[in-house]
Amino acid sequence: MKDFDFGYFGTGDEGYAQYMTAFERNFSTDSTDSFTSDDTDCDADSCDSSEDDF
């Protein structure tokens, strides 16, 4: 593979920019996704859940 070839994202500066944008979006540590909850110290019985119990 030649220099500055980022595969799917293209080549050169534009390919690098697109690669880094996707990388930061997917691997950011300051994510606000639903799986990163502030309720890490509660268990299933003691926390209110937004889902119905089945």
Side-chain angles (χ1 to χ4, degrees), residues 14-52:
E14 186 174 339
Y16 175 76
Q18 292 182 19
Y19 170 79
M20 289 307 297
T21 299
F23 185 91
E24 289 174 1
R25 179 181 62 237
N26 292 324
F27 298 106
S28 177
T29 58
D30 58 334
S31 179
T32 58
D33 291 336
S34 61
F35 66 85
T36 56
S37 176
D38 291 336
D39 298 330
T40 57
D41 60 339
C42 63
D43 59 6
D45 294 331
S46 67
C47 292
D48 293 332
S49 176
S50 60
E51 298 180 16
D52 293 330

